[in-house]
């Protein structure tokens, strides 16, 4: 029932995000408000938002598939801790990796789902798992290793809109919490846990401290690019937003409020709420 409850809450939260842009914007993961404004709720609430119904379905289906086994292993209370802790942990990894990219945003329960998945793999590494719609079963530890490889490559290449860093962070937190809850698995499955954890932790350490070693060449990791401080970026962003509001007010004065687009109305409403 705890999994059904999570799915129900996520459904309501996701639907509200589809209906209300300001609601979506307030609760999504966004590096800038987390680091500068200490808006830490986003580390958790973003896990209950999705970009579309397909995104929601895949995450909730995966959660449901793994929930029965994970609850049988850990119990409902620890299952909930695993899920929510992995969402937060995945987003904290995103903060570390994207700390210089103040425009980075993401939503989705993938961090929590990966945490549940990899906690189960840490306990039962030899169980058979298969990718949806592909009738080939693999040992869970190979399945996990492939998923981690995809996540690491996705972070390094930065070629799509998938939150691979949240996946990787959620998987790491899930395994660490599994060890905390059932310490005996360190003796029983030590080699598998180390095989999954060590490359992930080493990759995160390198990408956070020495990204140039991975030959990353995107706009926020270029070694020859001068980096502004987050305060300087905040002030520049504030000036930019004020300029946008001034343009909207000028448009209202010349053409009336009905001339505003949906996005302009949303920006004006957000500005009004900040001023109140």
């Amino acid at each position: 029932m705890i999994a059904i409850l999570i799915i129900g809450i996520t459904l309501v939260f996701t639907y509200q995000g589809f209906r209300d842009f300001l609601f979506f914007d307030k609760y999504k993961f966004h590096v800038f408000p987390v680091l500068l404004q200490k808006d830490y709720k986003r580390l958790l609430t973003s896990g209950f938002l999705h970009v579309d119904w397909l995104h929601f379905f895949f995450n909730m289906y995966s959660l449901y598939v793994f929930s029965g086994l994970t609850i049988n292993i850990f119990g409902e209370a620890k299952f909930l801790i695993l899920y929510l802790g992995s969402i937060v942990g995945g987003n904290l990894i995103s903060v570390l990796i994207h700390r210089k990219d103040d425009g980075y945003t993401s939503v989705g329960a993938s961090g929590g789902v990966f945490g549940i998945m990899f906690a189960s793999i840490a306990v039962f590494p030899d169980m058979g798992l298969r990718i949806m719609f592909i009738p080939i079963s693999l040992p869970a530890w190979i399945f996990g290793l492939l998923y981690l490889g995809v996540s690491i490559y996705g972070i390094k290449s930065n070629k799509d809109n998938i939150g691979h860093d949240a996946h990787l962070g959620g998987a790491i937190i899930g395994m660490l919490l599994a060890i905390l809850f059932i310490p005996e698995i360190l003796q029983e499955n030590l080699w598998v846990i180390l095989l999954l954890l060590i490359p992930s932790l080493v990759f995160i350490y390198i990408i956070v401290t020495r990204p140039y070693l991975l030959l990353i060449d995107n706009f926020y990791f270029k070694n020859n690019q001068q980096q502004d401080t987050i305060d300087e970026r905040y002030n520049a962003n504030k000036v930019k937003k004020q300029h946008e509001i001034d343009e909207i007010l000028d448009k209202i004065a010349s053409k009336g409020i009905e001339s505003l687009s949906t996005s302009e109305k949303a920006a004006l409403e957000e500005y009004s709420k900040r001023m109140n």
Side-chain angles (χ1 to χ4, degrees):
M1 290 304 298
I2 187 67
I4 298 298
L5 180 61
I6 290 172
I7 292 171
I9 293 173
T10 306
L11 173 63
V12 172
F13 216 77
T14 293
Y15 178 65
Q16 181 62 21
F18 292 163
R19 294 178 62 250
D20 187 345
F21 169 80
L22 292 178
F23 180 88
F24 186 90
D25 192 61
K26 180 179 180 181
Y27 292 109
K28 70 183 179 183
F29 173 78
H30 189 180
V31 170
F32 206 58
V34 171
L35 283 179
L36 193 67
Q37 300 168 350
K38 315 302 180 187
D39 191 3
Y40 299 129
K41 72 175 186 300
R42 294 174 182 265
L43 297 173
L44 179 61
T45 57
S46 59
F48 293 87
L49 293 169
H50 292 82
V51 294
D52 54 41
W53 287 120
L54 188 63
H55 185 207
F56 169 84
F57 169 77
F58 276 110
N59 274 337
M60 294 301 99
Y61 175 80
S62 301
L63 172 64
Y64 183 76
V65 167
F66 279 92
S67 62
L69 173 64
T70 313
I71 290 172
N72 286 337
I73 298 170
F74 299 102
E76 289 189 343
K78 290 178 180 177
F79 171 84
L80 186 60
I81 293 172
L82 267 170
Y83 182 71
L84 299 181
S86 297
I87 289 175
V88 173
N91 281 329
L92 286 174
I93 295 298
S94 293
V95 170
L96 280 174
I97 293 175
H98 297 281
R99 66 196 184 280
K100 295 180 181 179
D101 178 14
D102 49 28
Y104 182 82
T105 65
S106 67
V107 294
S110 301
V113 172
F114 267 67
I116 295 297
M117 182 190 305
F118 277 81
S120 301
I121 293 174
V123 179
F124 294 118
D126 293 323
M127 65 178 173
L129 293 178
R130 64 185 180 89
I131 300 173
M132 189 184 300
F133 308 128
I134 299 179
I136 300 175
S137 181
L138 295 172
W141 68 271
I142 295 180
F143 183 88
L145 200 59
L146 290 173
Y147 254 101
L148 290 177
V150 169
S151 297
I152 288 173
Y153 175 77
I155 296 171
K156 180 183 181 301
S157 63
N158 194 35
K159 290 180 178 179
D160 53 40
N161 294 321
I162 299 174
H164 295 288
D165 31 67
H167 296 180
L168 186 62
I172 291 171
I173 296 301
M175 286 187 282
L176 293 178
L177 286 174
I179 295 169
L180 178 65
F181 294 151
I182 310 178
E184 305 87 73
I185 64 174
L186 269 181
Q187 292 182 332
E188 298 171 2
N189 304 320
L190 179 62
W191 71 272
V192 171
I193 293 172
L194 292 180
L195 182 65
L196 296 174
L197 270 180
I198 289 179
S200 304
L201 293 172
V202 169
F203 174 78
I204 289 174
Y205 173 78
I206 293 175
I207 200 171
V208 169
T209 61
R210 296 172 175 82
Y212 53 88
L213 295 179
L214 299 173
L215 303 179
I216 293 174
D217 188 32
N218 58 48
F219 76 96
Y220 57 91
F221 276 141
K222 284 182 178 177
N223 197 37
N224 61 352
Q225 185 178 22
Q226 182 179 357
Q227 298 289 348
D228 297 329
T229 67
I230 193 166
D231 292 302
E232 290 170 334
R233 294 198 302 275
Y234 170 76
N235 290 329
N237 188 57
K238 189 175 180 180
V239 170
K240 180 182 176 182
K241 285 190 174 182
Q242 185 60 54
H243 180 68
E244 291 173 352
I245 292 298
D246 290 342
E247 288 184 343
I248 292 173
L249 294 176
D250 289 342
K251 187 175 182 180
I252 293 173
S254 60
K255 299 181 180 180
I257 195 168
E258 296 303 321
S259 66
L260 298 183
S261 65
T262 302
S263 61
E264 288 172 334
K265 289 178 181 178
L268 186 62
E269 185 177 349
E270 181 184 6
Y271 176 77
S272 300
K273 287 184 177 181
R274 288 203 310 266
M275 296 301 293
N276 291 335

